[in-house]
Amino acid sequence: MIDRYTLPEMGSIWTDESRFQAWLDVEIAVCDVHAEMGTIPEAEAREIRERSTAAPVDRAFVERVDEIERVTRHDVIAFTTAVAERVGPASRFVHYGLTSSDVVNTANGLLLKRAGERIVARCRSLADVLARRAVEHKNDAMIGRTHGVHAEPTTFGLVLLLYHAEMRRNVERMERAVRAVAVGKISGAVGTFAHLDPEVEERVCARLGLEPAPVSTQVVQRDRYAEFVSSLAIVCSTLEKIALEVRHLQRTEVREAQEPFGKGQKGSSAMPHKRNPVVSEQICGLARVVRGNVVAAIENNALWHERDISHSSVERVILPDSCILADYLLAKTEWLVDGLVVFPERMRENLDALRGVIYSGQVLLELTRKGVTREDAYAMVQPLAMRVWDEDRDFGELVRTDPSIGEHLSPAEVDHIFDLGTQLRNVERIFERVMKK
């Protein structure tokens, strides 16, 4: 499981202090590169760096920016003014040759990269927990359901293995999305490098651990952000898939698994007997919020000409909210899977509930192997299967005593059909295929 102390808390990435610090990191990097290239004096760049880093970007600094912004009604101007108050005369080289989006978009690349790396780590951790629990329940047979109706046998290990494989794809998907947003641009008001050499952008991005956008307008293009938010939503759809299965398995009529239920926990204010899948329901509900943000992220891609501001206010909501929610839901789902209470005996009871009718497909196949046409075999098997539904009969007994089937299948062959091991003989091979990758 993930050690929550190995990465910064997701919420701390999106504070005003963190945002302004990222802006300041960009401004300092630009000044340092200017000094290296001889555009501004080294002494001035050193003074900017030293005075800017001497005092942290704290709540007092944020409040000062807010105070200035109430007059300027421009956040970046308010920010650079507050920086100038700290730096003094050398501040004339702060924001030298830049437009606001150079700073904000490059800083976004830093913030999104940090947030994305945390999400990737969370996904890896959940995938590991799923793998461990899949192996634990590899051979715990249960009924597979299609349309919510009993189909054929599977194992609970295979159910968890499916989620493990999907989470590994989420890791790959998120890694691609992080690469897509971990970019910066220092190319000016319309992306033409009118006031700076492209080398400035290349050097600044290298210092910050970002890739320079090969081409931009005033902004980094928002298809990148849309990909990132969409990837978060896909992660959350996997989490919802897991939680939805738990909700079904915890239903009273099923009772094959349940969420952890802690000492002192209460399920209902009116019904003391209740154990409700509240965390699973919360996961399913909040996943909808992240999915809803995808629409806004995609619509942000179409801006007027080289840029308008319609995307900016939206991103101040959807980027922090989507990252924080995805991080939270990953943690909740890991808790859910790690502590999930499983009832193999109940799984076997439910598997046997329809008294062997789940082997009807195997009877059909064995008859066709014996030379019966598929249509004739279906006509022989289906009426017996329907009697199980309608008369609560034992399907194995009906098959064994049916004269038309007896003409083609020996008692030993029928026994083989109704052997659970026949249905589950390839479970180990499926595990090998997934785990070896």
Side-chain angles (χ1 to χ4, degrees), residues 314-332:
V314 178
E315 290 169 357
R316 292 173 194 237
V317 176
I318 67 171
L319 295 181
D321 281 8
S322 297
C323 290
I324 291 169
L325 269 177
D327 182 70
Y328 175 79
L329 293 177
L330 279 161
K332 283 293 186 181

Side-chain angles (χ1 to χ4, degrees), residues 19 40-41 68 72-73 80 125 146 191 203 249-250 258 283 310 322 339 366 371 374 396 429 431 434:
R19 177 165 58 96
I40 69 173
I68 299 169
T72 64
R73 302 188 68 178
T80 56
S125 185
T146 59
R203 289 194 183 192
L249 296 180
Q250 191 164 336
Q258 70 173 39
I283 293 167
S310 61
S322 297
E366 292 299 328
R374 184 175 182 83
R429 291 182 63 182
F431 267 80
V434 172

Side-chain angles (χ1 to χ4, degrees), residues 231-245:
S231 297
L232 291 177
I234 294 172
V235 169
C236 291
S237 75
T238 303
L239 309 183
E240 182 177 7
K241 180 189 295 189
I242 295 169
L244 190 64
E245 181 71 8

Side-chain angles (χ1 to χ4, degrees), residues 69-351:
E69 187 179 356
R70 283 193 287 272
V71 177
T72 64
R73 302 188 68 178
H74 193 291
D75 56 354
V76 176
I77 292 175
F79 166 78
T80 56
T81 301
V83 171
E85 292 175 350
R86 288 187 167 191
V87 171
S91 65
R92 69 185 184 276
F93 290 116
V94 173
H95 211 67
Y96 184 76
L98 304 183
T99 190
S100 297
S101 291
D102 287 331
V103 177
V104 174
N105 281 222
T106 304
N108 280 352
L110 291 173
L111 298 176
L112 288 167
K113 182 181 180 183
R114 293 170 194 163
E117 287 173 345
R118 181 177 174 86
I119 294 294
V120 169
R122 284 276 194 207
C123 289
R124 290 187 188 278
S125 185
L126 176 55
D128 290 344
V129 174
L130 284 163
R132 172 171 54 78
R133 299 233 57 188
V135 172
E136 179 184 346
H137 297 286
K138 180 192 299 185
N139 298 312
D140 287 340
M142 65 183 297
I143 188 63
R145 299 170 173 93
T146 59
H147 307 277
V149 178
H150 286 205
E152 292 184 341
T154 184
T155 76
F156 192 54
L158 283 178
V159 172
L160 296 173
L161 185 70
L162 182 84
Y163 302 148
H164 163 75
E166 186 164 335
M167 282 309 304
R168 283 184 6 195
R169 293 195 298 275
N170 280 323
V171 169
E172 296 170 0
R173 192 176 289 114
M174 281 305 309
E175 287 177 334
R176 291 194 299 268
V178 171
R179 289 195 297 271
V181 295
V183 298
K185 58 88 59 184
I186 310 289
S187 56
V190 294
T192 58
F193 298 97
H195 307 292
L196 294 173
D197 190 284
E199 188 178 352
V200 174
E201 179 184 76
E202 294 165 5
R203 289 194 183 192
V204 168
C205 288
R207 279 175 173 266
L208 298 173
L210 303 175
E211 289 293 322
V215 59
S216 65
T217 58
Q218 190 176 104
V219 295
V220 169
Q221 297 307 288
R222 262 40 189 183
D223 66 297
R224 296 176 179 274
Y225 290 28
E227 179 181 354
F228 184 83
V229 177
S230 297
S231 297
L232 291 177
I234 294 172
V235 169
C236 291
S237 75
T238 303
L239 309 183
E240 182 177 7
K241 180 189 295 189
I242 295 169
L244 190 64
E245 181 71 8
V246 173
R247 288 171 62 190
H248 170 73
L249 296 180
Q250 191 164 336
R251 290 171 57 202
T252 307
E253 296 82 0
V254 180
R255 282 196 308 119
E256 294 180 359
Q258 70 173 39
E259 289 183 6
F261 194 82
K263 183 178 181 181
Q265 184 175 343
K266 305 294 189 292
S268 167
S269 62
M271 296 169 283
H273 70 277
K274 294 280 278 181
R275 289 187 180 184
N276 298 329
V278 290
V279 173
S280 297
E281 290 173 336
Q282 183 188 62
I283 293 167
C284 290
L286 290 177
R288 300 169 190 167
V289 178
V290 182
R291 281 203 301 275
N293 288 343
V294 174
V295 175
I298 291 173
E299 291 185 351
N300 275 352
N301 192 31
L303 304 176
W304 284 18
H305 305 298
E306 277 60 56
R307 189 240 179 157
D308 64 57
I309 203 172
S310 61
H311 65 290
S312 179
S313 56
V314 178
E315 290 169 357
R316 292 173 194 237
V317 176
I318 67 171
L319 295 181
D321 281 8
S322 297
C323 290
I324 291 169
L325 269 177
D327 182 70
Y328 175 79
L329 293 177
L330 279 161
K332 283 293 186 181
T333 306
E334 183 169 319
W335 171 88
L336 174 66
V337 174
D338 186 56
L340 190 68
V341 182
V342 181
F343 305 112
E345 297 83 4
R346 179 65 178 177
M347 288 178 174
R348 187 56 189 259
E349 288 177 17
N350 287 338
L351 188 149

